[in-house]
Amino acid sequence: MRVLLVEDEQRLAENIVAALREVGLAVDHAADGEAGSHLAEQGVYDAIVLDLMLPGKSGKNVLRDLRQRTIHSPVLILTAQEGKESIVELLNAGADDYLGKPFDLGELLARVKALIRRGKGASASVLRMSDVELDTVHQTVLRGGEAIDLSPTEYRILEYLIHRPRAIVSKQELLEHLYDFAWEHHSNVIEAHVSNLRRKLNVPGTEPLIETLRHRGYRLTGGGPA
Amino acid sequence: MTIRSISITRRLVISVLLLELLTAFALIVAVTVHEHHIELKAFDATVTGTAETLMGAVQDAEDQGDNVMLDLRGVQLSNNALYRVEDERGQVLGSFGDSAMLSRALLNPPGFFEAKIGHVGYRFFVLHGVRTIDPGQANGGVSHSISIVYGIPVRRVWHEVIESIRFFALATALLLSITTILMVLLVRRHLAPVHELAHEADRISSRNWQFDAPASAKETVELRPLAKALESALMRVQLSFEQQKRFTSDAAHELKTDVAIVKSSLQLLSMRKRTVDEYSEGLALSLDDFTRLESTVEKLLTLARLEQPADRADGAPSTCSLRKAVEEAVHQSKPFAELKMIEVIVEVRDTAAISLDGRDALLLCSNILVNALQHSHEREKVCVKLVRRDADVVLTVQDWGEGISEEDRPYLFDPFYRGDISRSRKSGSTGLGLSICKAICTRGGGSIEISNHPAGGALVTVILPASDSTSISKELSA
């Protein structure tokens, strides 16, 4: 999952980016409104954390432009401003959540995760597909009750796929949502990770869970959610 | 405690009434004098007339001695009238009243005189005349010298005068009552704009500063200055109230941001178990973040202290040498200047004292200097000059950086204003430095301004009034 952080305060941004990466999210950072707006409009983010007081372009305008371009990424507003009125205004303008500074980092992470979940149409933090169970809080995967040890990237690929069951997910889409600009990414890296993941999930005598469609991408199949 | 209450209406009404009363009084006095004069004339005419009638009433007695007699038939005498008629032989022809007094009175020369009979004042008229009996006879008749004294109480004159005074007094009283009622009504009506103005002013609250003086008040010449003063005073109050509000909200924003950084740094560190190196690195970063929070708080407190009225509890206002402050600031910023390889040229020619605390003066100088160094490119120079201009000490700090933009210029001294926010944020500025400089200059009774000089770059000019010469020598010897 890929998150965009638009925050002008350098040190705060560093901390939030580090925290979001620690929980396995790909994070891009924009230090002003213009850059934030530009990045957000690419439409590849699964959640956006937006500061209100920004140089160049205010957070409110970034949000407004985003919604005008029908970008549906969930937006969490981060602000030190007082007043309930502005919160109502922001929520009405298309924001999904709100957090006042100084905030609790754990709360910020939980809210971002919840927003991503909601954005993908899931309500529980534990996702199920066939006999696979994925716990997004503890980042653990069970197949048929057996714990499967996955690398962080493998986990993230499975998490992304499990949010879109039976849909074809292109390599490009996986790249866009799993890696931020700070990462070196090549499509063959994805292939290697997917192949490892397929191997680890495989139970002898059954159909492979992840199906590869030539030149089109990957599909998570199975008996449907349990 | 009761407040003394003064009513303009009451004062106006009372003043006008007093004036009216005074006028009425003067009028009554004039009328009295005049009436008295007229009445006295009429009185005298009556007395003279009656005396002459009495003379006419002296008739031939038709006796042998060609005597005369007083025939009072058809003669109208006033009530209380006293008279005495005698002929040349002292024979009394007619008399009424105190005969001794009246016969003495006859000796008076002809004309008026006044006398008191009992307790009543009388005015008498003495008339000497000749009556000729049988003038048609050959010997030309017999002539008799007749003396007449006739008097009536003077009271009658005063009676008439008092009557007219009473009439005037009544008329005045009536007039006064009518004027009072009319005055009260009219003054109230004419003072209506005052009430309207007060009503409008009463609607002002800390939430609603809108004040538009009612048209009636603006049209009234006497109220126009008050309405204008109210409007402009309120505008100033509103402005400073809004500035205060903005400052508070900006300060809160700034502090919250700094607190958020410290908090997130520590929380990030405690998210999972880390190595000793990671911990020590994280703690060092947290400490930096905390130092920044501390510096923001310190600057806010400094600004708050500077904006308080100067504390002169110790009596003498504190003074210091601006020269010392400049030299100290240059010394302190030396490492920073050397880091950017900037040459700081110092030209200090004045030693005058200024009425500022030494620490404030140093803060002022170092803020300006560090600002200039921050906005200079590497290997450039910064020029600091201190000269005396008449009664003022002028400090100029010139740099060859990019200068200031015209759109920033009006806001440079506003708290938390940053010309280029993203850049200044990184450089650790809080946007309070120039506000603090301005507050210090204001406290020292001087001014500060920033402009661009023709060579390109910013020029900061601080003008501070020099304290008197005694304090200079004191400062220098200290």
Side-chain angles (χ1 to χ4, degrees):
Chain A
M1 298 295 150
R2 190 166 172 187
V3 178
L4 172 66
L5 170 70
V6 190
E7 164 69 65
D8 65 319
E9 179 47 61
Q10 191 70 27
R11 281 291 299 129
L12 191 61
E14 283 170 14
N15 287 341
I16 296 174
V17 167
L20 288 170
R21 287 201 176 131
E22 291 230 346
V23 295
L25 294 164
V27 191
D28 288 322
H29 170 227
D32 64 81
E34 297 284 357
S37 211
H38 181 72
L39 282 178
E41 278 161 18
Q42 294 181 352
V44 298
Y45 295 102
D46 301 298
I48 297 171
V49 179
L50 183 63
D51 185 27
L52 270 194
M53 272 213 185
L54 289 169
K57 190 173 179 183
S58 79
K60 205 182 270 182
N61 288 346
V62 172
L63 177 67
R64 192 198 55 207
D65 291 357
L66 206 63
R67 293 308 183 219
Q68 256 173 19
R69 283 167 196 261
T70 60
I71 307 276
H72 300 299
S73 308
V75 172
L76 181 134
I77 298 287
L78 212 53
T79 177
Q81 271 175 345
E82 300 275 340
K84 290 274 175 220
E85 277 165 54
S86 62
I87 301 169
V88 172
E89 212 173 282
L90 285 163
L91 290 174
N92 286 339
D96 299 273
D97 204 355
Y98 163 91
L99 204 53
K101 286 180 194 173
F103 51 84
D104 191 272
L105 205 54
E107 186 181 350
L108 175 73
L109 296 176
R111 280 179 190 265
V112 169
K113 280 184 179 172
L115 281 180
I116 293 173
R117 221 160 51 216
R118 275 283 164 205
K120 307 285 173 203
S123 54
S125 62
V126 177
L127 302 163
R128 288 192 184 85
M129 172 81 188
S130 183
D131 56 352
V132 178
E133 205 177 281
L134 184 135
D135 185 332
T136 56
V137 175
H138 301 102
Q139 306 202 345
T140 54
V141 178
L142 301 174
R143 177 147 198 205
E146 293 278 318
I148 297 171
D149 186 28
L150 295 180
S151 78
T153 313
E154 288 157 8
Y155 167 82
R156 280 151 66 188
I157 292 171
L158 182 62
E159 187 189 14
Y160 192 82
L161 289 174
I162 212 165
H163 272 300
R164 310 197 55 191
R166 285 178 301 281
I168 300 169
V169 178
S170 70
K171 233 186 276 178
Q172 178 64 29
E173 189 180 340
L174 272 180
L175 276 173
E176 280 175 353
H177 286 270
L178 300 186
Y179 294 99
D180 52 50
F181 291 133
W183 291 57
E184 288 269 342
H185 43 76
H186 304 288
S187 52
N188 52 354
V189 172
I190 286 280
E191 277 168 29
H193 284 302
V194 172
S195 119
N196 284 340
L197 178 62
R198 190 189 283 126
R199 189 171 44 76
K200 287 185 185 174
L201 282 176
N202 195 32
V203 174
T206 57
E207 286 284 305
L209 270 176
I210 299 170
E211 196 182 334
T212 306
L213 298 137
R214 252 183 181 291
H215 304 302
R216 291 176 68 192
Y218 307 99
R219 183 158 62 180
L220 191 64
T221 55
Chain B
M1 205 183 98
T2 53
I3 300 168
R4 213 176 130 216
S5 156
I6 295 167
S7 157
I8 293 183
T9 313
R10 208 182 305 147
R11 283 186 163 190
L12 271 176
V13 170
I14 288 173
S15 307
V16 171
L17 287 184
L18 276 177
L19 275 176
E20 274 190 357
L21 212 62
L22 206 68
T23 315
F25 183 73
L27 203 66
I28 286 170
V29 169
V31 162
T32 307
V33 170
H34 182 71
E35 274 296 306
H36 182 253
H37 185 70
I38 299 277
E39 285 298 324
L40 203 63
K41 255 180 156 174
F43 181 87
D44 286 356
T46 311
V47 173
T48 322
T50 314
E52 268 159 10
T53 311
L54 280 175
M55 183 67 90
V58 175
Q59 305 279 330
D60 184 359
E62 305 286 351
D63 62 358
Q64 289 301 303
D66 281 335
N67 284 326
V68 283
M69 60 165 276
L70 193 61
D71 181 11
L72 285 177
R73 280 174 303 179
V75 176
Q76 279 274 301
L77 294 179
S78 304
N79 292 336
N80 308 324
L82 301 179
Y83 66 95
R84 191 176 180 92
V85 184
E86 283 183 14
D87 63 7
E88 71 277 7
R89 284 170 298 180
Q91 193 167 350
V92 179
L93 301 180
S95 171
F96 185 81
D98 183 352
S99 31
M101 183 265 154
L102 287 175
S103 60
R104 260 199 325 275
L106 275 174
L107 300 174
N108 280 346
F112 289 98
F113 73 92
E114 286 177 14
K116 258 198 150 59
I117 312 283
H119 289 294
V120 187
Y122 273 75
R123 189 165 166 88
F124 290 99
F125 184 65
V126 178
L127 182 67
H128 300 290
V130 176
R131 285 299 285 182
T132 308
I133 306 298
D134 299 337
Q137 284 188 354
N139 59 358
V142 184
S143 289
H144 292 283
S145 293
I146 309 293
S147 295
I148 294 171
V149 64
Y150 178 78
I152 45 179
V154 192
R155 203 172 51 210
R156 267 186 50 184
V157 175
W158 285 112
H159 179 74
E160 293 298 322
V161 172
I162 284 163
E163 275 302 306
S164 41
I165 289 173
R166 187 180 295 159
F167 170 76
F168 268 97
L170 272 174
T172 308
L174 191 67
L175 200 68
L176 277 178
S177 349
I178 293 171
T179 334
T180 312
I181 294 164
L182 282 178
M183 275 272 291
V184 170
L185 289 176
L186 283 175
V187 168
R188 279 214 183 129
R189 204 174 142 187
H190 291 323
L191 282 179
V194 176
H195 296 296
E196 280 169 35
L197 186 64
H199 180 72
E200 187 64 32
D202 196 41
R203 288 184 16 204
I204 301 159
S205 68
S206 60
R207 278 154 196 264
N208 177 26
W209 292 94
Q210 216 58 42
F211 176 74
D212 191 22
S216 61
K218 280 182 184 159
E219 283 160 6
T220 313
V221 177
E222 288 84 355
L223 285 181
R224 212 175 289 149
L226 179 64
K228 272 191 186 158
L230 257 175
E231 274 180 339
S232 63
L234 270 170
M235 214 174 290
R236 283 196 300 272
V237 171
Q238 183 180 7
L239 202 72
S240 87
F241 190 79
E242 271 165 12
Q243 268 176 357
Q244 205 70 34
K245 229 162 98 180
R246 199 166 51 235
F247 178 82
T248 312
S249 129
D250 286 351
H253 181 265
E254 212 65 25
L255 287 172
K256 279 181 182 175
T257 305
D258 286 349
V259 169
I261 294 171
V262 174
K263 195 171 169 183
S264 65
S265 294
L266 292 171
Q267 284 182 334
L268 178 66
L269 205 57
S270 62
M271 267 175 80
R272 58 176 172 81
K273 282 247 180 281
R274 291 173 197 277
T275 63
V276 174
D277 283 350
E278 277 173 340
Y279 275 126
S280 63
E281 193 189 332
L283 280 176
L285 273 175
S286 301
L287 194 62
D288 283 351
D289 297 335
F290 193 81
T291 309
R292 212 181 96 174
L293 168 64
E294 195 184 9
S295 127
T296 304
V297 170
E298 197 181 320
K299 280 180 182 168
L300 278 172
L301 291 178
T302 304
L303 198 57
R305 173 179 64 81
L306 288 169
E307 279 176 355
Q308 293 289 318
D311 181 23
R312 293 281 154 84
D314 55 340
S318 54
T319 57
C320 71
S321 158
L322 191 56
R323 179 185 183 151
K324 271 190 188 170
V326 169
E327 283 165 353
E328 177 65 23
V330 170
H331 177 73
Q332 279 183 6
S333 62
K334 212 169 181 175
F336 185 35
E338 279 169 358
L339 196 70
K340 288 186 90 174
M341 285 170 281
I342 295 169
E343 185 190 357
V344 181
I345 303 160
V346 187
E347 269 184 63
V348 182
R349 294 220 193 88
D350 192 77
T351 53
I354 49 165
S355 25
L356 270 181
D357 182 73
R359 286 173 308 157
D360 289 346
L362 176 60
L363 191 58
L364 171 71
C365 296
S366 66
N367 270 356
I368 297 172
L369 190 58
V370 169
N371 217 24
L373 291 172
Q374 269 174 355
H375 288 92
S376 292
H377 302 294
E378 285 188 4
R379 292 171 212 284
E380 274 177 351
K381 57 181 179 176
V382 167
C383 195
V384 183
K385 265 188 204 168
L386 181 66
V387 291
R388 181 74 177 247
R389 193 193 294 158
D390 302 327
D392 296 325
V393 185
V394 182
L395 170 71
T396 53
V397 178
Q398 191 174 7
D399 67 51
W400 278 263
E402 61 271 20
I404 51 163
S405 76
E406 274 307 309
E407 56 186 277
D408 287 342
R409 214 171 150 166
Y411 313 108
L412 281 174
F413 297 104
D414 288 0
F416 306 108
Y417 186 81
R418 296 186 191 94
D420 178 357
I421 304 176
S422 51
R423 202 195 54 163
S424 311
R425 254 304 186 185
K426 277 176 218 155
S427 63
S429 145
T430 47
L432 282 173
L434 284 177
S435 307
I436 290 174
C437 288
K438 172 129 182 139
I440 294 173
C441 289
T442 308
R443 173 165 280 219
S447 64
I448 180 169
E449 63 174 67
I450 303 183
S451 57
N452 287 321
H453 59 90
L459 175 69
V460 183
T461 311
V462 173
I463 302 175
L464 285 166
S467 322
D468 56 283
S469 51
T470 52
S471 57
I472 299 170
S473 51
K474 213 166 74 188
E475 175 71 26
L476 286 180
S477 62

